[in-house]
Amino acid sequence: MDIPPFQTAIPVFEELRGPRVLVRPYRTSDADDVYAAVEASRDHLRPWMPFADETADELRDWLAHAMARWLLREELPAGVWEAASGRYLGGSGLMIRDWRIGYFEIGYWLRADAEGKGYMAETVRLLTDYAFTSLGANRVEIRCDARNTRSSAVAERLGFVREGRLRNNAHAPDGLRDTLIFARTPDDPPMG
Ligand SMILES: CC(C)(COP(=O)(O)OP(=O)(O)OC[C@H]1O[C@@H](n2cnc3c(N)ncnc32)[C@H](O)[C@@H]1OP(=O)(O)O)[C@@H](O)C(=O)NCCC(=O)NCCS
């Protein structure tokens, strides 16, 4: 992709739609729904997500920063909604590792009662396709705690290639963790 002289001029999506999910940037008015999803999912999120115990005020502050990072094209944090009902399901988005390389990372979480229904696989597929087709991506990466088998299963389900395991490279709530690195490049076979 040709990068405009101002990073803020890089065109990005307003929404992505799959058969069952809608992915779009956050709005201030999403705060209550996002907080309710976190509040209903604390035990489910705690082993893996640093925001599991955030208060409503902390969440509102995070949301403001997320919207600002989107505007500045420093990161594209997006929410995931069930298309049919409009119910908030969780968070995902593209972290920008390097615009010029076309190197992005996808992170994700679902509210506890939305797990096990294929919503995140659909979301990651949408974001990955978008990165390759519209952002000229050369590399889309997923990282996760080596113990987080549900998270690594999302990457494997979509044909991300496991490239390595970084030992003791990050903090986890219970000490240090190993991190698995998965990635897709444009030459990889289509997502299954
Ligand atoms: C990681 C996380 C997002 C994965 O969610 P998930 O629901 O397991 O992932 P998917 O969307 O790929 O769904 C796959 C599951 O839905 C099932 N499923 C049901 N209906 C489906 C459908 N129509 N299409 C596809 N899959 C479907 C699949 O069989 C699979 O179930 P299984 O794992 O029991 O075999 C979720 O576990 C989570 O939020 N964890 C806490 C936060 C976290 O760890 N985030 C990642 C940090 S790196």
Side-chain angles (χ1 to χ4, degrees):
M1 185 177 69
D2 290 334
I3 306 293
F6 300 103
Q7 190 167 292
T8 50
I10 297 173
V12 290
F13 67 89
E14 289 179 7
E15 61 173 46
L16 301 175
R17 277 184 186 270
R20 295 188 301 150
V21 302
L22 165 68
V23 181
R24 64 155 174 84
Y26 285 107
R27 304 167 185 153
T28 308
S29 56
D30 295 325
D32 289 347
D33 287 342
V34 180
Y35 184 67
V38 171
E39 205 173 23
S41 311
R42 294 199 193 280
D43 292 344
H44 154 80
L45 296 173
R46 197 169 290 117
W48 318 115
M49 309 307 285
F51 59 81
D53 290 298
E54 276 191 353
T55 63
D57 285 345
E58 286 169 331
L59 190 277
R60 252 172 238 288
D61 183 61
W62 175 84
L63 202 60
H65 281 90
M67 291 187 294
R69 288 196 303 275
W70 178 287
L71 203 60
L72 296 171
R73 307 293 190 258
E74 291 175 353
E75 198 179 326
L76 302 177
V80 183
W81 283 263
E82 188 177 40
S85 65
R87 183 172 191 247
Y88 180 73
L89 299 176
S92 186
L94 292 165
M95 287 174 254
I96 317 297
R97 293 291 172 211
D98 191 318
W99 276 114
R100 283 172 203 286
I101 295 174
Y103 174 10
F104 304 94
E105 181 181 337
I106 299 182
Y108 43 76
W109 64 276
L110 285 170
R111 63 188 308 150
D113 64 5
E115 190 177 60
K117 299 178 171 64
Y119 290 132
M120 196 44 71
E122 188 176 318
T123 300
V124 173
R125 180 188 298 272
L126 283 171
L127 286 165
T128 304
D129 273 342
Y130 176 78
F132 284 120
T133 58
S134 300
L135 299 180
N138 285 303
R139 176 180 174 83
V140 178
E141 191 172 279
I142 291 175
R143 293 176 166 236
C144 69
D145 187 321
R147 298 168 298 181
N148 194 344
T149 51
R150 289 203 81 97
S151 182
S152 57
V154 175
E156 285 160 356
R157 201 167 277 133
L158 295 172
F160 279 70
V161 176
R162 181 172 153 170
E163 296 181 333
R165 179 183 186 121
L166 308 182
R167 294 173 299 160
N168 290 342
N169 81 314
H171 287 288
D174 57 349
L176 295 180
R177 69 174 218 193
D178 291 1
T179 298
L180 299 183
I181 312 278
F182 296 87
R184 286 187 64 89
T185 66
D187 298 333
D188 288 334
M191 286 184 278

